[in-house]
Amino acid sequence: MTSAAPQDAQPRLRAGVIGLGWAGQQHVAAYAADPTVDLVALSAMEEHLLEQFGEQHQVPGRYQDWKQMIAEAELDIVSIATPTFLHEPMAIHALGAGVNVITEKPMAQDGEAAGRMVEAARKAGRVLDVSFNHRRRGDVAALKTVVDSGVLGKLYYAKTGWIRRQGIPGLGTWFTKAQSSGGGAMMDIGIHMLDMTLHLMGEPEVTAASASTHAEFGPLGRGGSGFGISQVEEGAPFEVEDLATAFLRLDGGGTLLLESSWAQWIPNDLCYVTLYGADGGATIEWGAPTGPKITVWTEVAGIPAELHPAVGEDGHHAAAVADFVAKVRSGDVTEHDGSLPHRRARVIDACYASAKAGTEVAVQA
């Protein structure tokens, strides 16, 4: 495997991708475009996808058996873009073989599984990362610059959410079965908003959660989207929530409201992050008919001011993969062992536990 030498002295990294659905295809494209990486292997159950993307990017190794790929392809790095319940066994196996790993979000179906992945990364001395692509949005990066500048002062309250008009991903697929997905809308898209907001706020610890979940659309066969429709299993039940809300307590006394919904009677999809600080407030919204927007409210020389920061390009999955490659190149595995996404998983665990118990639940340390 690649050693921790200066970047200009390091050989090219040998990369593989497991899973060739939409997310996996983004990882394939990112590796193929990276001049420091050789995309040498792909693994998927679907032969036509192996042929399509193998031919498109001239990938020599094509495997239906992912374990065979890990054993034979001599990989330095691998992306795991499979159903959530497969992340843990695949990551632990790859890490044990000396391969650095990035998975799609969520990290695993629960915090215990995520914790075992972190332990495996530490034991192997390899990088474990999770692709939170939405924090690489241009507007998120712009707002992070505003927060870090101190313009908003101390942040004490935030609201965030992702609400879809009709967006249950493949009714009757692994997405809507509790054992394979680990949860519904909060696990699937709420995790993105949680990650973005905590990232913007400077990573405060979440200490407790009070949450509720609802399933009003999925059990009736309503609210489905075309995403994942090819994976539908006849008679598969709808076992997860299509809406979740949570009140989260943060260390230092701050609070965060989180909502996520796959289907709702609203005119259009909407994502938002709103931050409240002692010296100013700010919001990001996208999905509305007016398109993405970022606004900051503060004072300049005692005069109320509304600011509209310049927004750069979105990074998408390519930026998440590039960050992963840079972490591997750095050789600093102690800072990149999956601990941060593991904390996200523990927060989601607490939300689901709270919704089940009907009371506030502490987030496990």
Side-chain angles (χ1 to χ4, degrees):
M1 296 299 129
T2 304
S3 60
Q7 182 167 341
D8 57 3
Q10 289 182 336
R12 297 165 66 83
L13 296 176
R14 293 173 59 86
V17 176
I18 306 175
L20 293 177
W22 179 85
Q25 293 168 26
Q26 310 312 304
H27 288 253
V28 168
Y31 288 132
D34 189 329
T36 72
V37 171
D38 290 324
L39 180 60
V40 298
L42 304 175
S43 177
M45 296 296 294
E46 304 89 349
E47 290 187 35
H48 70 285
L49 293 178
L50 282 174
E51 180 178 2
Q52 177 185 345
F53 291 97
E55 289 299 315
Q56 180 179 341
H57 297 289
Q58 292 299 292
V59 183
R62 306 171 194 179
Y63 303 85
Q64 286 189 289
D65 185 337
W66 63 270
K67 287 186 177 179
Q68 184 183 2
M69 183 184 83
I70 297 298
E72 297 179 357
E74 298 182 344
L75 301 177
D76 297 297
I77 54 179
V78 68
S79 289
I80 297 174
T82 59
T84 304
F85 71 100
L86 294 173
H87 291 183
E88 179 197 1
M90 289 180 170
I92 289 176
H93 186 88
L95 290 163
V99 183
N100 300 280
V101 172
I102 181 171
T103 75
E104 266 301 305
K105 63 80 207 165
M107 185 175 185
Q109 68 269 37
D110 57 41
E112 289 188 6
R116 290 189 290 267
M117 292 164 67
V118 172
E119 290 175 6
R122 290 172 178 170
K123 182 178 179 180
R126 292 294 183 266
V127 171
L128 173 61
D129 203 1
V130 174
S131 175
F132 285 118
N133 56 296
H134 278 280
R135 68 154 63 186
R136 275 82 182 186
R137 293 176 55 91
D139 46 12
V140 173
L143 183 50
K144 180 62 173 167
T145 299
V146 170
V147 171
D148 291 347
S149 75
V151 167
L152 304 184
K154 177 186 175 182
L155 298 177
Y156 58 91
Y157 178 48
K159 297 189 295 186
T160 188
W162 187 337
I163 312 167
R164 289 177 177 168
R165 169 65 177 85
Q166 183 168 320
I168 299 175
L171 280 165
T173 71
W174 67 268
F175 276 103
T176 60
K177 294 192 296 184
Q179 185 175 2
S180 54
S181 66
M186 179 169 286
M187 180 70 83
D188 179 39
I189 56 179
I191 189 74
H192 273 307
M193 309 314 295
L194 176 67
D195 176 70
M196 274 187 286
T197 308
L198 294 178
H199 168 65
L200 286 167
M201 297 181 77
E203 296 298 340
E205 289 288 341
V206 181
T207 60
S210 181
S212 295
T213 59
H214 305 270
E216 301 295 335
F217 285 74
L220 300 177
R222 294 176 173 175
S225 71
F227 182 75
I229 202 69
S230 63
Q231 304 166 331
V232 169
E233 301 173 18
E234 191 66 31
F238 189 92
E239 300 175 332
V240 296
E241 85 283 358
D242 47 39
L243 183 145
T245 63
F247 173 86
L248 305 178
R249 297 188 186 277
L250 311 178
D251 62 354
T255 52
L256 167 59
L257 294 184
L258 169 67
E259 63 175 343
S260 51
S261 178
W262 274 338
Q264 196 57 257
W265 293 116
I266 54 175
N268 47 260
D269 292 4
L270 178 64
C271 298
Y272 65 92
V273 179
T274 304
L275 305 178
Y276 298 84
D279 300 319
T283 189
I284 301 172
E285 291 183 10
W286 66 95
T290 55
K293 65 178 181 179
I294 174 173
T295 308
V296 176
W297 299 275
T298 185
E299 286 185 347
V300 176
I303 302 173
E306 183 174 298
L307 312 178
H308 299 277
V311 174
E313 300 252 340
D314 290 341
H316 302 295
H317 280 80
V321 170
D323 286 349
F324 167 58
V325 170
K327 292 171 184 176
V328 173
R329 292 283 189 194
S330 75
D332 185 4
V333 297
T334 59
E335 293 296 319
H336 308 300
D337 61 3
S339 294
L340 186 144
H342 182 207
R343 294 201 298 271
R344 304 286 192 259
R346 294 200 307 266
V347 173
I348 299 298
D349 280 355
C351 289
Y352 284 133
S354 170
K356 183 177 181 179
T359 188
E360 184 170 277
V361 169
V363 177
Q364 291 188 359

